[in-house]
Amino acid sequence: GVAVYPDHGTDTNTLIRKAYVAQESDDARDRGLAYYHPNQDSYSADRLTLASSLRDALRKDELALFFQPKQSLTDQSIVGVEALIRWPGRKIPTPADQIIGVAEQTGLIKPLTRWVLEKAMVARDELVAAGHPHLSVSVNISPNNLREQEFPLFVQRLMTSYPQHAGKIILEVTETSMMLDPANSLRALRSLDYTGIPLSIDDFGSGYSSLSYIKRLPASEIKIDRSLITDLTFQAEDRVIVQTTINMCHDLGYKVVAEGVEDLETAELLAGMDCDMIQGFHLTPPQPMEEILLWLTGQNGREQRGA
Ligand code: C2E
Ligand code: MG
Ligand code: MG
């Protein structure tokens, strides 16, 4: 991490702190060297305000979860929903990745993930009460959670308090986040797997994991990144990559979900490629639970009419 006198500071403490900030950046990780840049600085004024508002919002229970359904391509049935974080009351709209980014840089990710997991349990209670006991709820977790020694224990305790959700709460971890620390991620995923919680590898194809690593993962599901799905109908190369990924994942025993499916044509193409499930705006964008329950009712009607 590099900080330069006098551009980045005029005293030793400031310079060292900023060199540390640079050292923590993606550039430093990717290239082994990085110069300080104010917008990576999690201690800069903007970040501090955002972080303290987020801490407040979490305490006051002002965050929310939206849900997006996941559909089986075998029989068109809905098999589960993914929980996605939202911050409804905030004046400046803050997308999920930004909320998560700030939470990760400030240590708030620990309470945030716990909050999301607790809410996911309540959400699945609502789904069951509304007559959808077969639906799973997927929760995204951050690489920082995998580094917490006690995270698997927390998950195990939570699942013990909600035995009705056993096997129906799925944890999603992104491929890129695992690759930051492959050995430790594998260890953490194995302890989670040991507690019996199904695991899913998110954004697959956006990182650079090796096949030998992938085959050791105790996951049951792989989600192919949206970037490979978006242009599927007109990019022959993407079709080759996606078809190869689907075949490989099936051979390794994983179910395959395609993310970011926006139209019927793409869904049909994926069905022809033997992809197991889809998620995306083609079905519906993420919505609050009440809306999703209404949507599910409509969906049931369509299934019964055979459409
Ligand atoms: P993700 O887990 O890969 O979630 C899918 C993202 O794609 C969601 O964005 C969703 O709204 C969006 N999406 C779904 N279908 C389509 C589509 O057809 N087209 C397009 N263009 N986009 C689609 P969102 O909600 O903004 O979340 C972004 C990312 O933030 C998530 O990606 C996930 O990595 C992270 N995230 C969201 N909620 C949480 C959370 O509670 N905890 C953690 N650790 N991460 C979260
Ligand atoms: Mg996800
Ligand atoms: Mg994803």
Side-chain angles (χ1 to χ4, degrees):
V2 183
V4 181
Y5 172 93
D7 299 357
H8 300 145
T10 50
D11 63 278
T12 338
N13 279 344
T14 309
L15 286 167
I16 290 178
R17 189 177 67 72
K18 293 189 170 173
Y20 268 117
V21 170
Q23 187 197 296
E24 295 295 308
S25 68
D26 289 345
D27 275 0
R29 207 160 34 227
D30 298 344
R31 293 195 231 122
L33 177 101
Y35 283 80
Y36 170 80
H37 195 279
N39 65 13
Q40 328 156 318
D41 195 338
S42 54
Y43 302 95
S44 73
D46 277 11
R47 293 264 166 189
L48 269 183
T49 331
L50 185 53
S52 77
S53 318
L54 181 60
R55 183 172 291 113
D56 261 11
L58 198 56
R59 201 181 47 229
K60 297 183 189 147
D61 212 28
E62 286 169 357
L63 298 175
L65 289 182
F66 274 31
F67 300 88
Q68 189 180 38
K70 184 167 79 176
Q71 184 185 44
S72 156
L73 286 173
T74 322
D75 61 2
Q76 320 310 317
S77 67
I78 303 302
V79 289
V81 296
E82 175 174 5
L84 296 153
I85 194 91
R86 294 292 181 269
W87 194 345
R90 191 162 160 81
K91 282 192 208 78
I92 318 147
T94 315
D97 341 45
Q98 206 178 330
I99 302 174
I100 298 305
V102 171
E104 284 176 341
Q105 283 166 3
T106 52
L108 279 174
I109 193 67
K110 194 173 161 175
L112 188 140
T113 301
R114 280 157 176 69
W115 182 90
V116 174
L117 274 165
E118 301 269 1
K119 293 286 172 189
M121 301 292 164
V122 178
R124 210 181 99 80
D125 277 335
E126 292 179 85
L127 287 170
V128 173
H132 307 287
H134 56 287
L135 297 192
S136 60
V137 176
S138 297
V139 171
N140 294 283
I141 63 165
S142 135
N144 298 42
N145 299 127
L146 293 183
R147 278 194 286 272
E148 291 170 31
Q149 199 84 56
E150 68 284 7
F151 187 67
L153 191 64
F154 169 80
V155 173
Q156 192 174 15
R157 288 215 181 105
L158 191 65
M159 295 312 299
T160 316
S161 330
Y162 294 88
Q164 68 272 34
H165 301 326
K168 291 291 189 185
I169 300 289
I170 303 173
L171 296 188
E172 296 191 0
V173 196
T174 64
E175 182 201 4
T176 27
S177 75
M178 286 187 312
M179 293 320 289
L180 297 177
D181 189 357
N184 178 59
S185 302
L186 190 58
R187 204 171 319 120
L189 290 180
R190 285 191 174 146
S191 353
L192 285 168
D193 179 53
Y194 187 72
T195 72
I197 195 142
L199 300 169
S200 170
I201 307 306
D202 206 348
D203 300 351
F204 187 74
S206 65
Y208 304 95
S209 37
S210 72
L211 292 180
S212 64
Y213 183 74
I214 293 302
K215 76 162 200 260
R216 293 161 67 201
L217 294 173
S220 47
E221 177 186 277
I222 299 271
K223 298 180 90 168
I224 304 181
D225 193 55
R226 190 166 77 219
S227 60
L228 287 169
I229 304 298
T230 308
D231 300 333
L232 205 62
T233 49
F234 52 92
Q235 286 284 350
E237 294 89 344
D238 287 359
R239 284 200 291 280
V240 174
I241 296 173
V242 170
Q243 183 68 77
T244 312
T245 307
I246 293 172
N247 296 348
M248 176 193 79
C249 289
H250 283 166
D251 288 345
L252 292 172
Y254 304 128
K255 292 275 183 214
V256 183
V257 183
E259 299 190 296
V261 176
E262 297 190 351
D263 50 55
L264 180 64
E265 215 184 332
T266 309
E268 285 175 345
L269 199 57
L270 285 159
M273 296 168 110
D274 208 20
C275 182
D276 302 290
M277 288 162 274
I278 55 164
Q279 218 182 305
F281 296 169
H282 166 57
L283 298 171
T284 166
Q287 300 185 63
M289 183 50 85
E290 311 94 83
E291 308 293 324
I292 283 298
L293 289 177
L294 287 175
W295 183 88
L296 285 168
T297 312
Q299 195 70 15
N300 269 346
R302 263 192 298 281
E303 265 171 44
Q304 270 148 27
R305 288 193 302 276

